[in-house]
Amino acid sequence: MHRVTHPPRPDWARRMEEELGFVFHSPDGTVYWDETAHWTFTEDEIDRIEDAADAFHALAIRAADRAVAQNRLSELGIPGYAVAAVADSWRRFREGDPLEAPVYGRLDLAWTGEGAPALLEYNAATPTSLYETAVVQWHWLEETHPDADQFNRLHEALVEAWAARGAAMAGRPIHFTAGDVVEDMATAGYLQAIATEAGLATKLVAIGDIAFDESDRRFYDPDGTPIEALFSLYPVEWMLREDWGVPLIEAVEAGRLVLFEPLWKQLFSKGILAFMYELEPDHPGLLKAGFAPGLFAPGDRVVAKPLAGREGDGVEIVTLGPDGMPAADSVVRQASPGPRIAGDEGWVYQAFTPLAPAPGGHAVLGVWIIGDKAVAMGLREDAGEITGVGSRFVPHLFTPRAN
């Protein structure tokens, strides 16, 4: 595992906009897509990453079983009025209901190429960097290193995942939506195109254009069409704390609305890390985690994470002093242009682990899970130790094993 620097392709920005529709490569003039470098791996290293991600996913499923069986969903930041509906959704999934099957998720791993990859968190409901991973970095590989390979069958696996829902949807359209952000709406449009390719009826709608009708307790798009199935990149855990929350839960429970990702994905908030650690404290690469900082000793370096945080929002890295409280001048926060959104729902505390060093910062591996399998990887770099909205996406490749 190492990083290689080189000049970018000539005229890459204009070409990716025109050929791929990749319009958010440089938001506000800052670099997001960064092809002045790439990460290279051996096939053996890719196998280790894939195996670690598969094992973390399987452990997360067992941890969700534990949370439901022990009726501890409130510890995951799920509002009381939604607890029963989330548990019902989980039970239907475990009984094999195809409409409760997950579409995708992304595990963030820390790894330097030595030892076991460490799990930072599971972004299971609205993970970012999907299009960049599935399409843009593959396009880069085909043009620059056609003899190499890439850990990446994300597009194909997503088509298969949506196709598996075709019979259960029985022709009902799926509405795709996202918040009013260029990247999010473009990604929702990409997911809509995949579902259409898989044979499903689809429609893209801005979340601000969705209306709720009190008379029949249904949601409608701007054309007056009732929404029977909704894929939302606007986080459901945010909806549950807004006016949408109660009618959303009512509609799912009454069978008026199918939700993608399914409602049980609320179990995979960052709090799932604590349940995973309870189950397997000696699991390779699983960092100590719990719902209280008292789990750690004075002198430990600890990462505090809001349960429903996004893109590093609210994350702090602290060193505990002799009294078990953060030592003065030890707090590391992500520089963020906006106010902190997450945190009121609760926190999880996780042992700090170093990230892969990159020039002027660090890199995090994002491994995509479709069904129960790891299928692709993307890497993001940041000048700091907290991956956030300003982190850069850097492509990767691997060298196939000699026969």
Side-chain angles (χ1 to χ4, degrees), residues 142-326:
E142 288 187 315
E143 286 204 341
T144 62
H145 299 81
D147 296 330
D149 207 341
Q150 193 174 81
F151 181 22
N152 191 2
R153 61 174 305 271
L154 184 52
H155 181 94
E156 295 82 356
L158 283 168
V159 173
E160 294 164 5
W162 281 118
R165 290 157 175 76
M169 287 304 298
R172 290 177 293 173
I174 301 174
H175 284 72
F176 288 77
T177 194
D180 185 21
V181 177
V182 171
E183 176 184 347
D184 289 358
M185 281 303 292
T187 302
Y190 171 60
L191 283 160
Q192 180 207 11
I194 293 174
T196 303
E197 180 180 342
L200 298 171
T202 66
K203 196 170 183 178
L204 183 65
V205 58
I207 195 161
D209 291 336
I210 294 176
F212 176 67
D213 189 330
E214 288 280 359
S215 63
D216 62 2
R217 310 293 292 175
R218 287 182 179 273
F219 295 93
Y220 287 85
D221 71 16
D223 298 325
T225 304
I227 297 175
E228 299 180 72
L230 180 68
F231 184 99
S232 177
L233 283 181
Y234 185 80
V236 169
E237 57 262 44
W238 291 3
M239 294 184 202
L240 296 184
R241 290 166 177 80
E242 298 169 359
D243 293 341
W244 279 43
V246 171
L248 185 79
I249 293 296
E250 287 177 358
V252 171
E253 285 288 82
R256 295 191 296 268
L257 179 67
V258 175
L259 207 56
F260 300 113
E261 291 284 15
L263 201 53
W264 64 258
K265 278 293 183 83
Q266 302 307 297
L267 297 169
F268 282 21
S269 77
K270 291 177 177 59
I272 200 68
L273 297 167
F275 283 91
M276 293 170 72
Y277 185 73
E278 285 181 14
L279 275 173
E280 296 280 354
D282 297 324
H283 186 98
L286 190 64
L287 303 169
K288 179 188 284 190
F291 293 109
L295 179 69
F296 300 92
D300 284 352
R301 204 169 186 211
V302 177
V303 185
K305 300 180 176 183
L307 296 179
R310 289 284 187 285
E311 297 278 16
D313 175 35
V315 173
E316 294 182 352
I317 303 173
V318 304
T319 301
L320 300 180
D323 58 355
M325 300 300 290

Side-chain angles (χ1 to χ4, degrees), residues 121-144:
E121 60 191 48
Y122 198 157
N123 303 281
T126 55
T128 59
S129 75
L130 177 79
Y131 187 67
E132 305 86 290
T133 301
V135 176
V136 182
Q137 69 166 349
W138 185 257
H139 181 269
W140 168 87
L141 179 79
E142 288 187 315
E143 286 204 341
T144 62

Side-chain angles (χ1 to χ4, degrees), residues 68-86:
V68 173
Q70 296 182 349
N71 194 25
R72 297 172 59 190
L73 274 60
S74 61
E75 294 178 47
L76 295 166
I78 298 169
Y81 73 85
V83 163
V86 172

Side-chain angles (χ1 to χ4, degrees), residues 42-54 109 111 113-117:
T42 67
E43 190 166 357
D44 288 342
E45 288 174 329
I46 292 295
D47 288 346
R48 290 178 65 184
I49 295 167
E50 182 177 357
D51 291 346
D54 287 348
L109 306 181
W111 199 46
E114 302 292 334

